[in-house]
Amino acid sequence: MAAATHWAAAATAMGVLERGGTAFDGAVAAAFVLHVTEPHLNGPGGDMTAIFATADDPTPRVLDGQGPAPAGASAAAYRAEGLDRVPGSGALAAAIPGAVDAWFLLLRDHGTWEVGDVLAPAIGYARDGVPAVPRLASTVAAVADLFREHWPTSAALWLPGGRPPRPGDVVRNPAWADTLERLAAAAQGPDRGARVDAVRTVWGEGFVAQAAAAAVRTPHRHSSGTDHAGVLTVADTAGYRARTCDAVVGSFRGWRVAKTPAWGQGPGLLAALAVLEGFDDADLDPAGDPGAHLVLEAVKLAHADREAWFGESADLLDVADLLAPDYVAGRRALISDAASPDLRPGRLGGRDPVLAELALSGAGAAATADGTIGEPTVTLAGETKGDTCHLDVVDRAGNIVSATPSGGWLQSSPAIPELGFALGTRLQMTWLQEGLPSTLTPGRKPRTTLTPTLVLDDDGPVAALGTPGGDQQDQWQLLYLLRTLVGGYDPQQAIDAPALHTTSSPSSFWPRGREPAGAVVEDRMPADVIDALERRGHRVTRSGPWSLGRLSAVGIDRTRGLRWAAANPRGIQGYAVGR
C-alpha cells in the first residue's frame, strides 16, 4: 500500500512495489517525484524526517535528514547583518540540505533497487512535465513580482513565457532532469552500497555542492526586505551525512507512538497524548464539547514546552522528564474550563524554562486563518508560512515507512539555474537570542516541524501516518489518533472528519507571530461545539469546510492479514493505492 499528498507519488511507489521493490525503494522513488509535482512544498535543497521499521526488526527508527546550520550561520553573525530574526526566505535561512542524502542512505541500507531505477520516474516527470496543481500555480503567482524584480533565475524557471503557470498547465524542469541523470551516472562501484555512496559523495562534494555554494555568494532579496549573501559552502555540505537514530516512544491507551527526538517537534505529540490520557474516553471526541477544548489546551501546553525545551542544544531535553507521570499530572491540572491565552512551559530536569523574547512578545504578524492554513502563504517579500508533503508506504513483507519531506520550496530562495532547485529555509525556526535550545548555532539542527508517526502494538507497527502543515502537523495527527484509538473510526473516516487547531502558540515560521487563545476550526464542525469554544474564550476563526490537514496513512491489519491505506480528499490530489 502507498499513500501520499500527490497522486503521482503514491502511484510511483505502488509501481515500484508491483515490480518487486520494497517499501523503501518505493518511498525513495516517490520522494523524488514529489520534488517535481509539489515543488512549492518540497525540493531537493530541503530536508526530511522519516520513521520506519523493517520486516525483520519492528523497532521504530528515525531517518534524520534534517541538515544543521552551516559553519557561517550564527546568531551573532546574523545580528551583525542587522537582523533580529532569521528571514523566512533567502539563502541566509538555508540549513545544509539533508533530504537527498537521507533518501540515498535509506536506499543503501534498506532498499534493493539501483539509483538510476529509483530516479527514473522523477527524471521522466521533470523532463516531460506534470500538470500544475492549483496551489503550485497560486504560489508562483504570489511571488512572480519578487522573481521578476529580484530573483531572475527563479523567473527563468517558473515564469515560462513571462507568466506564472495556470492550474493544469504542464510544467517542466529540464535542469533538474539533467541533474538527476548526472547523479544516476555517478553510481559507480563494485556493489550496490558503494554505488549509492558514490552518488552521495557527488551530491555533497561534487557539482551539486559547488553550484549551490557559488549561487549563494550573490546578494539577493530576503523576506526582511534587505539583500544578503548566503553562507553555505562546499565544506558544509561535504561534512554532512544523514543518519538514523532511535525513535522516541510514548504510550496512549495501550498503544505505542513513535516520534523523532526533541530536535523535532515530535515529542510534543507524545506530551499532548500523555495529558489527554487522564481524561475519560467520552470527553475526547475532537468534534464534541469538551473534547475540542481539551485538545486545544493540551496542545498549547505541549507547544509551550516545545518553545522552552526542544532543540539540539548541549543539554537536549530528556523526553523521559517530559513524559514523567508527576510532571504530566501537573500539566493536566493546568487545564481549566476556560481557554488559556498564555505560554505556560513547565520546569523540567530541575531547570526553569526560558522562552525567546520575541515569542513572549508575539512579535511579527499574528497567525491568520483564511481557509488556506496548512498551505504555503507567501507575499511579495517572499514571506512564507511554509508547508510540506507526506508519503507512507508498507509492503507485503511488513516493511513500513512514514516520511515528511519539506523545505527547498521554489519560493525559498533564488533557483540555482544549472541544478533546477532552490535551497531551503529551515533556519527560520531558530532564534537569534543567545542561550536558547534553538539558538542559531553552527553545526546545530534547527528545531524542525517535520514529524511523521508510527503507531505500534506489542507485535510491531500497525500504522504509519503524517501530514503537511508546519505547526499543525502533530495537531491534526492528534485528532486522527484520538478518533482511531479512542473513537473507533476507521482510518479514512478519521482523515475525513472535521479538523481544528490552535494558533495560540508562537509560529515556527518567520515572522514568528502568535494569536493568543486563537483557534481555527473547519466550519463543518457542529455549530454548538464552535459556540461552546467561543464561550470558553477561544478566539475562533471558521475555516473552509475542507481546509485543514492533508493526512495520509498506511497500516497493517494482522488479524485479517491485510494492508490498508487512506488519503486526504482536501485539495483533491492526495491518493491511496494498493492491492
Side-chain angles (χ1 to χ4, degrees), residues 47 59-60 75 106-107 112 118 149-150 211 222 279 365 371 380 409 425 490 493 505-506 511 528:
D47 25 58
T59 304
L106 186 69
L107 180 68
T112 62
V118 296
E149 296 171 20
H150 298 286
H222 285 56
F279 294 95
L380 176 58
W409 308 309
T425 58
D490 70 35
Q493 289 172 329
S505 307
D528 60 329

Side-chain angles (χ1 to χ4, degrees), residues 91 97 203 206-218 230-234 237 416 418-419 421-423:
W203 175 267
F207 77 96
V208 175
Q210 293 162 13
V216 303
R217 289 198 291 268
T218 301
V231 297
L232 184 73
T233 68
V234 173
T237 54
I416 304 165
E418 57 267 58
L419 300 180
F421 66 83
L423 295 175

Side-chain angles (χ1 to χ4, degrees), residues 167-501:
D169 283 356
V170 174
V171 294
R172 298 176 175 85
N173 190 340
W176 178 231
D178 292 344
T179 298
L180 289 174
E181 288 177 343
R182 292 181 67 181
L183 290 173
Q188 304 294 323
D191 56 55
R192 197 182 65 86
R195 290 190 287 275
V196 176
D197 279 339
V199 178
R200 297 175 72 195
T201 299
V202 170
W203 175 267
E205 304 174 27
F207 77 96
V208 175
Q210 293 162 13
V216 303
R217 289 198 291 268
T218 301
H220 53 276
R221 183 57 48 90
H222 285 56
S223 61
S224 55
T226 50
D227 290 356
H228 308 270
V231 297
L232 184 73
T233 68
V234 173
D236 291 319
T237 54
Y240 170 77
R241 289 295 183 271
R243 66 186 182 111
T244 59
C245 64
D246 292 336
V248 173
V249 181
S251 62
F252 180 75
R253 296 295 200 265
W255 304 88
R256 292 181 294 144
V257 181
K259 302 294 291 182
T260 68
W263 45 257
Q265 70 170 331
L269 176 61
L270 305 183
L273 286 169
V275 166
L276 294 174
E277 180 82 67
F279 294 95
D280 293 338
D281 286 0
D283 292 332
L284 293 182
D285 177 5
D289 181 42
H293 170 70
L294 293 175
V295 165
L296 294 171
E297 295 304 298
V299 169
K300 289 180 198 176
L301 294 172
H303 278 185
D305 279 337
R306 180 191 73 176
E307 293 304 310
W309 298 110
F310 289 21
E312 195 184 39
S313 61
D315 52 356
L316 182 64
L317 167 73
D318 185 344
V319 177
D321 292 339
L322 183 74
L323 303 180
D326 288 348
Y327 182 76
V328 171
R331 304 296 279 164
R332 188 181 299 123
L334 293 175
I335 297 178
S336 71
D337 290 337
S340 172
D342 301 322
L343 288 175
R344 298 181 290 174
R347 193 171 189 271
L348 284 168
R351 294 175 288 162
D352 291 325
V354 179
L355 291 168
E357 293 171 2
L358 285 174
L360 286 167
S361 68
T368 61
D370 59 2
T372 63
I373 289 292
E375 297 287 346
T377 302
V378 288
T379 69
L380 176 58
E383 174 188 343
T384 173
K385 294 185 182 300
D387 207 350
T388 180
C389 307
H390 187 77
L391 64 95
D392 305 289
V393 189
V394 60
D395 63 28
R396 63 186 300 173
N399 300 301
I400 189 168
V401 57
S402 176
T404 309
S406 186
W409 308 309
L410 65 87
Q411 68 273 20
S412 294
S413 59
I416 304 165
E418 57 267 58
L419 300 180
F421 66 83
L423 295 175
T425 58
R426 190 64 57 180
L427 293 185
Q428 67 182 288
M429 297 182 177
T430 63
W431 294 101
L432 300 186
Q433 178 180 331
E434 302 289 352
L436 302 172
S438 54
T439 297
L440 177 62
T441 305
R444 182 188 290 179
K445 288 184 184 68
R447 194 261 302 141
T448 180
T449 52
L450 306 179
T451 178
T453 300
L454 278 187
V455 180
L456 307 97
D457 63 14
D458 291 340
D459 296 317
V462 296
L465 64 138
T467 179
D471 295 303
Q472 286 79 52
Q473 287 182 24
D474 275 336
Q475 300 196 57
W476 295 331
Q477 291 182 75
L478 175 61
L479 305 179
Y480 175 95
L481 294 174
L482 292 175
R483 284 167 168 148
T484 56
L485 304 183
V486 177
Y489 288 52
D490 70 35
Q492 192 62 56
Q493 289 172 329
I495 288 173
D496 292 351
L500 77 164
H501 63 261

